[in-house]
Amino acid sequence: MSECYQKVKSELQQMKAPGDAVETEASEEQLSPALQSSVPADVPTSRRDISRSGINGRSRSKSRSKADGKQVSDMKSDNLREKATNRVSNEQHLQVKGTGKILRSKCAANGHVESCPGQTDGKCEDRGREDGSKVVKKRRTVTVDISKAKTSLEALKLSIRELKWKEFPMGRRTACDIYWHGVSFHDTENIVSGQVNKFPGMIEMLRKINLSRAVRTMQELFPEEYNFYPRSWILPEEYQLFSTQVRLLKDNESTLKPTFIVKPDSGSQGDGIYLIRDPADLRVISGSQIKQAVVQEYIQKPLLIDKLKFDIRLYVLVRSLDPLEIYIAKEGLSRFCTEPYQEPCQKNLSHVFMHLTNYSLNVHSGNFVHSDSCSTGSKRTFSSILYRLASKGVDIKKVWSDIIALVIKTVIALVPELKVYYQADIPPGKPGPTCFQILGFDILLMKNLKPFLLEVNANPSMRIEHEQEVSAGVFEYVPSPVDEEVKVGVIRDTLRLMDPAQRKQHITSNMGAGSPEDAIVVEAGSDEKEGLADSLPSLCLKQVFPKYTKQFNYLRVVERIAAIFLRFLGVKGNMRLGPTGFRTFIRNCKLSSSSFSMASVDILYIDITRRWAGTLPDSREAGMCLQAFIEAFFYLAARRFKALPLREQVSSLLEVCEMSLEGQGHSEKPRPHRTHAHANLTSAHSSALPMLNSPALMRRHQDHLRHHPLQLSAKGNTDN
């Protein structure tokens, strides 16, 4: 070997000596204090920035070839020395803004930065080998079945690759950690472990009629808290009530001309929605086929941007039902109409591009603008709208706190029925997966910035591309930057929250969680994403429940009623309460008396069950559904505590029932009932309860509507 080569070899051995910064690739390298202090606090941590820095690191860390015995010049020896010294920078050190933490990572062969899997509070969890060297502890790769993902597939793939998890596009014979379904819980049958991104019954609960019924129940108990949902009528069963109220309104104030919007029960993407000004214009009752639908008051004074009506699509993660966990995405989409807004009149009722904000409708308008910018075009980020409102002096923290309250209250209204569906598909003690789900909340801001709930989507679109006509009649899918900015972040953060390795620790740490504040606080800063102003929401998922349990837990009254209902179902997997179970409920809670005999109990059960069977034509299961049980519970509460308001009546009866059942456990279970067991009950007792016919049971709701006739329309939709 030459003298020059020996010199270089000696220098390299000195740099590899113990105590120096250069170690093997499997070893953990530490920055000197001087280098750590030189790392800027605002190093960007976005995906593109990390990739860029990884490429730079790769160019500096190419492996050196072995010596081949040839002569090396003094200049080459200097280059080798510089390369060896620069190996210290082969690891990426990122300081997370606002946390004081340093994230350490290494450049992979492809130039991307790989974070330490066991990293906790800036440190890696290492195991020592027998020879004393360090090795990074590896964690098991999370597996995701994406064979049923459908339209969310592209965003899901991007998220999985970013997390370095393993996807199975064609499914897997052995169990996966997460199953990502595109439609419902039943997309894949016989799942006995893991996690599924759909709840049983969520599609059914978020149909227009069931959502309206759930919110209406809460409006009866908490009218002020649930005034964010437009007054609704269920058709065709409430057509006469709707017609009567509209006629009375016009008779009292002839100048008022309210507008109503009709939505098919199971419609989606704006299909079948239309506006009317008179009940006679309803299409659902014309012809021989009667279609189920919901008719609602039309909000006539929405907030306008650029003279256009728009709505907000926010993504909400329900991570668990028991305990209830809710997360809301800090970023959402704003979807604009494509025709300048005018208050509805007979001439413009059919102008869908003016009144309906649905993307699937407006995309076919010649005025629809596809934009690569998040703050222009017909689809924008919600943060761009908030930024614009903030520039005009609007308190956007108040807007956000109102939206958070709306989301929590809506989910609380849905939970009781969802628990019934859940136990029907996954009974207690039976092997099965846990569930989570991303929901799409469609919210409209009124001119006074009050949010109104339009609907909730069980399967919000997660498509991150849109169709573009490249030539006459020829379309292709092109990327949508706005959709990718919002939706990939939502899916990625959802997967992170559902990581099996983190979930158990998270549940333990959140036991007893709750915010001590009296009001919802929206943080001004954000440590999840850089690049947006501190006063605006960033692309991340924020926990809102159980964080704000103290503010909203008092609303969970119907959930307590559902717990009693589930206790007396009797048969695992059943969703209907039989007559034996209802009798057992009355007896165990000590609700019968000399003036309310068991014969009267049977008549109450028969009357309510038969009427609800008529309103649920698709149901194949006989018995009393949860909504019918809630109605019976309200009747029993009003009968026992006549002098109190309805909310206090229900709360008082709940206390009576819960105290009676406390300590009983399941010592007295109802016997499994036959499908038509209640048919054996004689109708000879019908005279024992003359007030329990259908009109009497509906009287409370009808009186409430008559005493509050169309307040939103009468006030121009500005004061609620």
Side-chain angles (χ1 to χ4, degrees):
M1 293 186 184
S2 66
E3 180 180 356
C4 183
Y5 178 78
Q6 293 292 342
K7 180 180 179 181
V8 172
K9 181 178 179 181
S10 175
E11 289 176 350
L12 288 176
Q13 288 175 347
Q14 289 177 5
M15 283 186 284
K16 293 181 181 180
D20 288 344
V22 181
E23 296 180 0
T24 61
E25 226 177 59
S27 302
E28 180 183 358
E29 302 179 271
Q30 300 290 341
L31 279 179
S32 66
L35 288 175
Q36 285 187 5
S37 62
S38 68
V39 178
D42 56 348
V43 175
T45 58
S46 66
R47 180 174 55 200
R48 294 178 182 175
D49 294 330
I50 292 175
S51 298
R52 222 175 272 123
S53 63
I55 293 173
N56 293 335
R58 177 181 59 182
S59 66
R60 294 193 302 269
S61 60
K62 292 180 179 179
S63 60
R64 297 183 302 278
S65 61
K66 296 182 179 180
D68 56 1
K70 294 183 179 181
Q71 298 240 346
V72 182
S73 66
D74 292 340
M75 183 179 296
K76 289 184 178 180
S77 65
D78 291 338
N79 290 339
L80 285 173
R81 186 184 303 109
E82 182 181 357
K83 287 183 179 181
T85 305
N86 286 340
R87 288 186 64 189
V88 176
S89 62
N90 202 25
E91 283 191 20
Q92 306 297 318
H93 292 71
L94 301 180
Q95 181 171 351
V96 182
K97 185 176 181 181
T99 64
K101 297 179 180 179
I102 298 292
L103 301 182
R104 298 182 177 83
S105 54
K106 294 184 179 181
C107 288
N110 60 3
H112 291 291
V113 175
E114 295 180 342
S115 60
C116 176
Q119 184 166 316
T120 304
D121 295 334
K123 298 180 180 179
C124 288
E125 297 175 0
D126 296 336
R127 292 182 301 178
R129 288 180 176 172
E130 292 182 0
D131 58 1
S133 62
K134 295 180 180 179
V135 59
V136 177
K137 181 180 179 180
K138 294 183 179 181
R139 55 179 291 182
R140 186 178 65 85
T141 302
V142 179
T143 56
V144 185
D145 185 332
I146 64 172
S147 60
K148 306 291 184 180
K150 297 187 179 295
T151 58
S152 63
L153 184 59
E154 292 304 317
L156 181 61
K157 283 184 174 181
L158 286 175
S159 300
I160 293 174
R161 290 167 189 169
E162 207 168 323
L163 296 173
K164 294 182 173 55
W165 291 2
K166 191 170 184 179
E167 63 188 53
F168 289 87
M170 304 303 293
R172 189 187 188 195
R173 288 187 178 182
T174 57
C176 282
D177 295 307
I178 296 175
Y179 295 84
W180 196 275
H181 291 176
V183 179
S184 75
F185 173 79
H186 296 286
D187 285 357
T188 303
E189 297 291 351
N190 302 320
I191 300 176
V192 296
S193 64
Q195 302 174 88
V196 180
N197 73 316
K198 302 293 180 185
F199 281 101
M202 187 67 82
I203 291 179
E204 291 78 6
M205 273 307 300
L206 292 182
R207 287 177 179 166
K208 310 297 188 299
I209 289 179
N210 288 336
L211 175 62
S212 296
R213 280 179 174 144
V215 175
R216 176 185 292 180
T217 299
M218 300 303 293
Q219 285 175 333
E220 289 190 62
L221 294 171
F222 307 98
E224 297 298 324
E225 288 86 341
Y226 281 83
N227 62 358
F228 56 80
Y229 192 70
R231 192 182 300 277
S232 307
W233 294 263
I234 298 172
L235 301 179
E237 62 187 80
E238 294 179 357
Y239 171 74
Q240 291 299 330
L241 178 62
F242 171 61
S243 301
T244 301
Q245 289 194 323
V246 174
R247 186 181 69 252
L248 291 174
L249 174 66
K250 292 181 176 180
D251 291 344
N252 294 335
E253 298 185 51
S254 58
T255 58
L256 288 177
K257 296 181 179 180
T259 303
F260 305 94
I261 183 168
V262 184
K263 304 176 181 179
D265 179 40
S266 56
S268 61
Q269 299 182 337
D271 184 37
I273 299 178
Y274 61 97
L275 273 60
I276 63 171
R277 307 202 80 176
D278 190 275
D281 298 331
L282 284 168
R283 303 172 193 170
V284 292
I285 62 169
S286 59
S288 58
Q289 187 176 6
I290 298 178
K291 298 180 181 179
Q292 286 193 310
V294 169
V295 57
Q296 296 178 326
E297 293 172 297
Y298 181 77
I299 301 174
Q300 301 189 39
K301 295 188 181 295
L303 178 67
L304 303 180
I305 298 286
D306 299 330
K307 299 181 180 180
L308 298 173
K309 179 180 176 180
F310 69 96
D311 74 351
I312 305 161
R313 164 62 62 84
L314 287 181
Y315 297 95
V316 174
L317 169 65
V318 180
R319 189 181 185 192
S320 169
L321 289 183
D322 192 9
L324 181 59
E325 287 187 71
I326 309 170
Y327 291 76
I328 183 170
K330 289 186 176 181
E331 184 64 287
L333 297 172
S334 298
R335 306 171 302 179
F336 283 75
C337 288
T338 49
E339 186 176 335
Y341 179 78
Q342 298 175 4
E343 289 196 18
C345 62
Q346 199 62 41
K347 292 182 179 180
N348 66 24
L349 287 182
S350 60
H351 292 201
V352 293
F353 298 146
M354 176 189 294
H355 296 294
L356 304 184
T357 56
N358 302 74
Y359 166 80
S360 55
L361 295 177
N362 283 278
V363 73
H364 299 294
S365 167
N367 297 325
F368 191 93
V369 178
H370 290 289
S371 175
D372 291 340
S373 171
C374 293
S375 57
T376 60
S378 298
K379 184 189 287 188
R380 314 175 192 178
T381 58
F382 182 39
S383 61
S384 70
I385 302 301
L386 291 178
Y387 182 84
R388 188 162 176 174
L389 294 176
S391 67
K392 297 181 179 180
V394 172
D395 185 359
I396 60 173
K397 291 185 181 180
K398 175 66 165 57
V399 174
W400 256 115
S401 65
D402 290 344
I403 290 175
I404 290 173
L406 179 153
V407 168
I408 295 174
K409 292 173 183 177
T410 303
V411 175
I412 286 176
L414 298 172
V415 166
E417 196 98 34
L418 286 175
K419 285 189 172 182
V420 176
Y421 277 102
Y422 195 93
Q423 69 82 35
D425 277 287
I426 312 175
K430 178 182 176 181
T434 57
C435 301
F436 64 98
Q437 189 155 351
I438 298 172
L439 306 177
F441 275 66
D442 292 345
I443 298 170
L444 185 71
L445 287 179
M446 291 173 57
K447 193 173 183 179
N448 63 359
L449 298 177
K450 176 182 174 62
F452 259 74
L453 178 66
L454 300 180
E455 62 179 311
V456 185
N457 295 271
N459 296 310
S461 172
M462 287 297 180
R463 189 183 293 275
I464 56 175
E465 65 277 340
H466 60 82
E467 283 186 348
Q468 189 175 60
E469 189 172 11
V470 293
S471 61
V474 179
F475 294 86
E476 69 175 5
Y477 284 102
V478 297
S480 172
V482 177
D483 287 296
E484 183 173 345
E485 174 76 8
V486 176
K487 297 175 182 178
V488 172
V490 170
I491 293 179
R492 182 189 62 242
D493 286 353
T494 296
L495 291 174
R496 284 175 176 169
L497 286 170
M498 305 313 298
D499 184 347
Q502 303 295 331
R503 182 160 175 77
K504 184 176 181 180
Q505 178 182 358
H506 173 83
I507 293 176
T508 304
S509 64
N510 277 289
M511 292 299 291
S515 176
E517 296 89 351
D518 293 330
I520 296 177
V521 177
V522 179
E523 293 85 350
S526 168
D527 58 2
E528 287 89 355
K529 184 186 175 186
E530 309 282 340
L532 291 178
D534 287 342
S535 60
L536 300 179
S538 60
L539 185 60
C540 65
L541 290 169
K542 168 188 172 64
Q543 188 194 82
V544 296
F545 202 92
K547 181 174 183 179
Y548 300 122
T549 298
K550 292 185 178 180
Q551 291 92 309
F552 298 98
N553 218 33
Y554 74 99
L555 298 173
R556 302 174 74 176
V557 172
V558 179
E559 197 172 339
R560 292 164 63 190
I561 299 176
I564 296 175
F565 175 80
L566 289 171
R567 177 177 180 134
F568 292 100
L569 278 181
V571 178
K572 287 185 178 181
N574 193 14
M575 293 183 61
R576 299 298 180 94
L577 185 66
T580 304
F582 190 72
R583 276 174 158 259
T584 307
F585 153 67
I586 296 291
R587 185 168 55 251
N588 285 13
C589 294
K590 302 177 175 61
L591 300 182
S592 60
S593 63
S594 57
S595 60
F596 188 63
S597 64
M598 294 306 291
S600 300
V601 170
D602 293 340
I603 300 304
L604 175 64
Y605 175 87
I606 292 172
D607 195 72
I608 294 181
T609 302
R610 283 179 177 173
R611 182 168 59 78
W612 275 93
T615 63
L616 304 171
D618 296 335
S619 176
R620 300 178 181 178
E621 191 176 347
M624 177 179 278
C625 63
L626 176 62
Q627 285 293 330
F629 182 80
I630 292 171
E631 184 177 316
F633 198 93
F634 282 13
Y635 169 80
L636 294 169
R639 189 180 184 282
R640 184 160 182 147
F641 304 97
K642 298 179 182 179
L644 299 177
L646 177 61
R647 186 194 309 180
E648 295 181 24
Q649 290 174 345
V650 173
S651 297
S652 299
L653 186 61
L654 271 172
E655 291 179 5
V656 170
C657 293
E658 289 169 348
M659 288 182 64
S660 299
L661 296 174
E662 186 177 358
Q664 291 185 13
H666 297 278
S667 57
E668 185 174 0
K669 295 182 180 180
R671 295 184 301 274
H673 61 275
R674 297 179 181 176
T675 304
H676 300 288
H678 66 275
N680 296 327
L681 297 174
T682 177
S683 60
H685 300 291
S686 58
S687 59
L689 283 174
M691 355 177 7
L692 296 183
N693 51 22
S694 298
L697 290 171
M698 289 290 291
R699 188 177 303 158
R700 180 177 64 256
H701 172 60
Q702 294 176 354
D703 288 345
H704 173 76
L705 293 179
R706 290 191 181 98
H707 292 153
H708 302 81
L710 303 177
Q711 290 179 356
L712 292 180
S713 296
K715 296 182 182 181
N717 304 111
T718 59
D719 297 328
N720 278 341

